[in-house]
Every structure is written in structure tokens, then in C-alpha cells.
Amino acid sequence: MINTKYTLSKYARIGGILYLLSIVLGALGQIVIRGSVITMDPVTTSQNLVASDTLWRIGIIGDIMMHILDIPLMIILFLLLKNVNKYLALLGVLFNIIQTAVLVVNKMSLIVATILINNSAYNEAFDANQIHAQIYLLTDIHDYGFGLGLIFFGFACLTYGYLIFKSDYFPNILGVLMSIAGLCYLINSVVLILAPQYSEDVFLVLLFSLIGELSFSLWLLVKGVKEVK
């Protein structure tokens, strides 16, 4: 039975491991790898991509692994939160599924960029400036696709945050932090789409998202669930 404290704690700790791995893989791909390749200049970005082709592909594989981990993590979150409200827990999972699907499809833009630089037919068909512009366009498309996916994840975090807050076996502060994380994801993505000229100014709000998700994942891993009277 999954309604015992022991079993819930076991699921929670597995979920904590999966969540932490997802955070690490996501940070490596988006911040460390792509952050070191993509610059404000299309020519420099293309040159960096050529020089870091293997690293770029590793980043793609890391992202795919992160999305694979999303699937068992979603199941565990549903098992942990369904006793609070089964329908809201299912709603959170559905938001999460859409986010994962969008981000998986979005990886095609990163793959196409590697095709452009490694296929001689395209290098012959387009001049250097066209190749540079197309690669830069693909990185822009990925950024917007990433922001689009995070809209759905923002709603997932808001839903999870409410359920965590209302539960008897997680501290209320974790629910508040997860809700703030969801709100920050929504702010960042909406600004990116509606007013991209201000996107860099609000990008730092994602630090609060990291705090919320990291706090929850560490609690799952270290504490599991509290004793329910």
C-alpha cells in the first residue's frame, strides 16, 4: 500500500534523487554548455559551435536524459500528492507532460544547428553569413521554445505548490516556495514573448525558481515525508 509513511518516504527519496538529477542536467545544458557557446554575435556563436560540436551534442543528450527522468518523477509526484486532491494532482501532471513534450520537440532546433555546420551540401548551398544567421536563428527559436514550455511548467509548479502547502506531510514553506517558482517561470516566459526587450532584465527571477525547486528536491531526498497523525 502506498499510503503508509514508510512507502511515501521511499517514493519521496526516489523523487528527490530524480529531481536533483533533472536540475543538474538542466543547468549543465542550458547554462554551462549552451551558455559557453552562444554569444550576442552570430559569427562568434557559429565558430564556438564548430569548435564545441561534441560538447553541444553532449548537452542535447543531457537534456533528453532530463526529460526521460521527468516521466518517473511525475508519477512519484502524483503518488505523493493525490491524497491531498487527486484531480489537482492529475492537473499538475498534465501541465508537466505538456511542458516536457514541448521541450523535447524543441531540441530539434539544436540538432538542426549541428546538421548545418557538418553537412557539406548545406555549406555549399549557403554562404558563410547565411549559415551564421541560420544557426543564430535556431538558437533563438530554442530560447522561445524553452520559454513556451516553461509556461506550462509554471502552472505545474503552482499546482504542486498548492498541494504541497495543503498536505499534512510537507512543510508549508515548501508549498510557498514552489508556488513562487511557478510564478517566476510565468513572469519570465510572458515577458520573453510579449516584451522580449526586457527579457534580460527579468531573467534573474528564475533564481527564485531554482531556490524553490532545489529546496523541495532536497527535502524529498533528505527528509521524505513528515509523520501524519
Side-chain angles (χ1 to χ4, degrees):
M1 297 290 292
I2 64 169
N3 59 350
T4 65
K5 178 180 181 293
Y6 171 78
T7 306
L8 283 177
S9 290
K10 181 175 67 174
Y11 279 117
R13 288 188 167 86
I14 295 173
I17 294 172
L18 296 176
Y19 214 147
L20 278 177
L21 286 174
S22 295
I23 292 173
V24 171
L25 289 172
L28 283 175
Q30 187 68 17
I31 299 174
V32 178
I33 295 178
R34 286 187 287 279
S36 66
V37 173
I38 301 171
T39 69
M40 298 297 293
D41 177 52
V43 175
T44 304
T45 298
S46 296
Q47 292 172 343
N48 289 343
L49 181 55
V50 171
S52 306
D53 181 58
T54 301
L55 183 64
W56 185 268
R57 294 173 186 272
I58 291 174
I60 296 173
I61 294 297
D63 285 352
I64 293 172
M65 290 300 301
M66 174 184 65
H67 298 315
I68 290 173
L69 295 178
D70 282 343
I71 298 172
L73 178 58
M74 282 185 268
I75 295 173
I76 288 174
L77 290 177
F78 176 77
L79 293 175
L80 291 175
L81 300 173
K82 75 185 182 93
N83 289 334
V84 182
N85 187 307
K86 180 174 67 174
Y87 300 105
L88 283 179
L90 181 59
L91 179 64
V93 170
L94 290 175
F95 279 132
N96 213 337
I97 288 173
I98 296 173
Q99 173 249 354
T100 300
V102 170
L103 295 187
V104 168
V105 173
N106 194 41
K107 293 298 167 284
M108 280 304 302
S109 60
L110 303 180
I111 295 172
V112 172
T114 65
I115 295 173
L116 275 173
I117 65 170
N118 288 293
N119 193 309
S120 59
Y122 297 119
N123 288 301
E124 293 172 1
F126 304 109
D127 63 36
N129 288 331
Q130 290 175 322
I131 293 289
H132 299 329
Q134 289 179 70
I135 288 175
Y136 207 66
L137 173 61
L138 289 166
T139 61
D140 274 345
I141 290 173
H142 179 267
D143 286 343
Y144 276 90
F146 190 66
L148 179 61
L150 290 182
I151 290 177
F152 295 96
F153 190 57
F155 282 111
C157 287
L158 286 174
T159 307
Y160 292 146
Y162 172 78
L163 293 171
I164 293 167
F165 183 85
K166 298 294 288 185
S167 72
D168 296 325
Y169 36 87
F170 292 118
N172 290 348
I173 186 62
L174 290 179
V176 173
L177 290 174
M178 281 295 287
S179 297
I180 292 173
L183 185 60
C184 290
Y185 279 129
L186 290 174
I187 291 172
N188 177 74
S189 295
V190 169
V191 171
L192 176 64
I193 295 172
L194 290 181
Q197 66 272 23
Y198 301 114
S199 62
E200 291 187 7
D201 297 327
V202 302
F203 182 76
L204 288 179
V205 302
L206 294 184
L207 288 175
F208 294 101
S209 299
L210 176 62
I211 291 172
E213 289 194 86
L214 190 59
S215 299
F216 182 49
S217 63
L218 288 174
W219 182 274
L220 289 175
L221 179 61
V222 177
K223 295 291 187 177
V225 296
K226 294 196 300 182
E227 183 73 51
V228 179
K229 295 183 181 179

